Amino acid sequence: MPTLILVRHGRSTANTSAVLAGRTPGVALDERGAAQAAALPGRLASLPIAEVVTSPLQRCQETLRPLLDARPGLRAHTDERIGECDYGDWSGRKLAELMDEPLMEVVQTHPSAAAFPGGESLRAMQTRAAEAVREWNARVERDHGADAVYLMCSHGDIIKSLVADALGLHLDLFQRISVEPCSVTAIRYTRLRPFLVRLGDTGDLASLAPREEPPTGHAPVGGGAGAP
């Protein structure tokens, strides 16, 4: 079965504003995010990418533009099932104020029970994304062979949930996974089991340096803004 390259979109204006963007339209890459996207073709240059699939949201489309420009033979297939979680009434709100919501404790410690008001549950988010991957695995293998490599550009919580699915982790543990903006995560699927072969690879170790503000221990809803 194929190898899936999961790319989180580059850093966005919502990331730097500490806003939970969700499906809010018009959220673009910031300057650093655009630079991350520009570097993506070089980072992936050695990979024979057979297909590209993307979330419909602008920040993912912008992340993929340099890669598609560098490989004119590729076109992006939009799949809403790997679009951002529908955070409902939480969308567009500051993350700092969301920390005071009682639901945040559930999101952090028991995410399989978390459903966003006016939106969807994290459980439903994982289910639709995993179904999309399984369908694309079959399609890519049929059209390009069992050793093919394909790419999906998506969002932090989606990618974390797919990693949990691949590792056989309960969704309640997915907040222990971290993926930086424009990081690369790779899952090699086989008939018997998936193998996680890369997780949140940014091509450098800057994100491991100590931050000016000590970590809170909370998992960033939506994925976080990455290294400063």
Side-chain angles (χ1 to χ4, degrees):
M1 295 179 71
T3 296
L4 170 60
I5 306 298
L6 288 161
V7 176
R8 185 183 169 201
H9 62 78
R11 196 173 74 175
S12 73
T13 54
N15 294 144
T16 46
S17 299
V19 168
L20 184 62
R23 298 180 179 182
T24 305
V27 176
L29 299 184
D30 69 5
E31 185 176 350
R32 177 169 180 157
Q36 291 171 331
L40 195 59
R43 293 170 61 199
L44 300 174
S46 63
L47 296 180
I49 298 172
E51 299 281 0
V52 172
V53 188
T54 181
S55 157
L57 293 175
Q58 178 179 336
R59 53 197 183 272
C60 288
Q61 309 273 344
E62 291 180 352
T63 299
L64 287 178
R65 193 168 297 146
L67 177 65
L68 297 175
D69 288 345
R71 301 197 189 198
L74 283 178
R75 69 180 185 90
H77 304 273
T78 300
D79 193 325
E80 293 186 359
R81 294 173 297 176
I82 62 165
E84 180 64 285
C85 182
D86 184 356
Y87 297 115
D89 297 343
W90 279 27
S91 301
R93 293 177 61 187
K94 288 281 190 180
L95 290 168
E97 70 179 49
L98 290 173
M99 296 305 297
D100 295 328
E101 294 281 351
L103 178 61
M104 181 59 83
E105 185 178 12
V106 182
V107 171
Q108 293 294 320
T109 61
H110 190 20
S112 65
F116 297 97
E120 70 178 332
S121 67
L122 288 169
R123 188 175 63 255
M125 176 202 73
Q126 183 187 44
T127 297
R128 61 171 165 84
E131 287 177 350
V133 166
R134 283 161 176 76
E135 289 183 20
W136 276 102
N137 282 348
R139 176 173 172 174
V140 170
E141 181 171 4
R142 180 197 68 207
D143 294 345
H144 302 282
D147 295 327
V149 177
Y150 76 106
L151 182 148
M152 284 184 167
C153 186
S154 188
H155 306 269
D157 282 348
I158 293 283
I159 294 172
K160 288 162 56 178
S161 76
L162 289 171
V163 170
D165 176 76
L167 292 176
L169 292 177
H170 196 282
L171 185 61
D172 285 344
L173 301 179
F174 101 124
Q175 298 289 29
R176 302 183 182 193
I177 299 165
S178 176
V179 289
E180 296 273 317
C182 222
S183 63
V184 172
T185 294
I187 302 171
R188 181 174 297 123
Y189 288 88
T190 74
R191 185 174 66 87
L192 297 180
R193 64 181 64 85
F195 292 89
L196 179 66
V197 293
R198 290 288 189 280
L199 175 62
D201 189 340
T202 61
D204 62 56
L205 298 177
S207 64
L208 299 180
R211 306 291 177 89
E212 290 185 5
E213 296 182 3
T216 64
H218 286 295
V221 181

